[in-house]
Amino acid sequence: MTFTGIIGTICMFPLRAIIRACVVLRIHPNVLTFVGVLINVAAAWALATGRFAMAGGIMIAANIFDFIDGKVAREMGMESAFGGFWDSVMDRFSDLALFLGLVYLYSSVHRTDYVVITVMAMIFTVLTSYARARAESVVAQCKVGFMERPERIVLFMIGAFTNRMAGVLWVILVLSILTVADRIFYTWRELERAKAPERVPV
Amino acid sequence: MTQPNEDALQLHKEIAGAGTSLPQPLRAIWRTLYWTYERATWQYDLMVIAILAFVWLTPPAWIGDPHASGLGPIGWLVAWLRG
């Protein structure tokens, strides 16, 4: 087993108990999603005021809600197309809120360079999910690229807890650019693959 | 009967085998840039280690971190080697 797999398995133990509690209490999964967003806004505020450790703690709470909503929906038999849509939209909002917190922080200390880096990371974060959403309207699946939301959130938390947010922003920016490029290439490749046999009569 | 379109055939070959015909060091670079690995694979672990190494080992001053303090492990090592 890989070490990231072991970490995932360990984290699942407390999460299973929380999921079970939510199922027993019959909490609607869409409510869990919304509560997660509100907590993420609080994390963004903590980032904006430079309280990184506090922001990290709040992000853990927010992302517990974010992580369990889909699983609670499945266990309660409440999976729906709207639930998936609501979750995706709220995820984008949470992402943008965290970036906005950092933009505020860096602009308040007059660091234009990091404002630009944060905004660029924000742009490519949105493009990462947009590229996949648009790609999956023309090809079956588009899951290539490293920097997806779970990776981004874990990186945000690592940056907050260890006070290394600048390094984290560089990683998010570079890997998000690569992820968008990967998705564009993959979609082009799949569409060409589908088209090629038509062009070459056997 | 229609002759096979050579251009289309070539394009199809290139797309189908993107990166797989490259020699090993270039292929590894290509596979890192064009990421298709799942989570919890050894390639994923390696990428995570590389990212954490960059985040934790790079001296904050090298990237002009507005908030981090201290030299970081590499900065500390460089300072120690310089005496």
Side-chain angles (χ1 to χ4, degrees):
Chain A
M1 195 181 213
T2 59
F3 89 85
T4 47
I6 292 168
I7 292 169
T9 308
I10 292 167
C11 290
M12 269 314 288
F13 283 114
L15 288 173
R16 266 197 212 106
I18 298 170
I19 292 166
R20 202 158 302 131
C22 291
V23 171
V24 169
L25 294 169
R26 303 290 302 165
I27 300 174
H28 198 286
N30 291 352
V31 173
L32 292 174
T33 309
F34 189 64
V35 171
V37 172
L38 293 181
I39 301 174
N40 255 320
V41 171
W45 168 79
L47 285 176
T49 51
R51 294 169 188 156
F52 282 175
M54 184 201 274
I58 299 172
M59 272 189 259
I60 288 180
N63 290 295
I64 287 173
F65 283 90
D66 210 22
F67 181 79
I68 63 168
D69 53 5
K71 290 176 175 57
V72 169
R74 212 162 301 137
E75 292 209 7
M76 288 170 74
M78 292 178 81
E79 279 179 294
S80 67
F82 179 76
F85 165 79
W86 171 252
D87 186 39
S88 293
V89 174
M90 290 299 114
D91 281 355
R92 301 293 83 72
F93 187 83
S94 296
D95 282 345
L96 294 178
L98 294 176
F99 280 115
L100 183 63
L102 288 174
V103 167
Y104 182 88
L105 173 72
Y106 292 133
S107 61
S108 67
V109 293
H110 308 290
R111 287 299 300 267
T112 317
D113 51 351
Y114 270 95
V115 170
V116 172
I117 289 164
T118 309
V119 170
M120 283 180 68
M122 186 162 82
I123 290 169
F124 280 95
T125 290
V126 172
L127 282 180
T128 295
S129 50
Y130 184 73
R132 181 173 169 189
R134 281 298 283 127
E136 290 182 352
S137 68
V138 288
V139 298
Q141 204 184 33
C142 182
K143 280 199 77 180
V144 296
F146 182 86
M147 191 51 70
E148 292 198 305
R149 189 157 192 268
E151 285 77 17
R152 201 161 48 236
I153 294 303
V154 170
L155 270 170
F156 259 125
M157 288 194 274
I158 287 169
F161 279 124
T162 62
N163 196 10
R164 290 289 183 271
M165 198 53 88
V168 159
L169 281 174
W170 276 108
V171 171
I172 291 176
L173 174 59
V174 171
L175 292 182
S176 296
I177 292 172
L178 279 175
T179 300
V180 173
D182 287 351
R183 288 178 177 186
I184 292 170
F185 177 71
Y186 176 85
T187 306
W188 171 78
R189 187 180 147 175
E190 286 298 304
L191 290 175
E192 288 300 315
R193 205 204 297 262
K195 211 161 61 178
E198 291 169 23
R199 280 199 213 151
V200 189
V202 183
Chain B
M1 191 177 165
T2 317
Q3 283 293 314
N5 182 333
E6 288 298 320
D7 288 345
L9 257 178
Q10 185 57 33
L11 181 66
H12 192 220
K13 275 183 192 166
E14 284 169 16
I15 294 162
T20 52
S21 57
L22 293 168
Q24 194 37 254
L26 291 176
R27 190 175 167 185
I29 294 168
W30 168 256
R31 298 286 287 166
T32 307
L33 298 176
Y34 182 57
W35 189 266
T36 55
Y37 300 108
E38 292 291 323
R39 293 191 184 106
T41 56
W42 69 264
Q43 293 92 343
Y44 187 85
D45 275 10
L46 213 59
M47 186 68 143
V48 169
I49 290 167
I51 290 169
L52 292 180
F54 173 78
V55 170
W56 285 335
L57 302 182
T58 307
W62 289 10
I63 52 171
D65 193 326
H67 276 272
S69 54
L71 295 171
I74 291 181
W76 179 85
L77 191 68
V78 170
W80 182 74
L81 288 172
R82 284 179 179 163

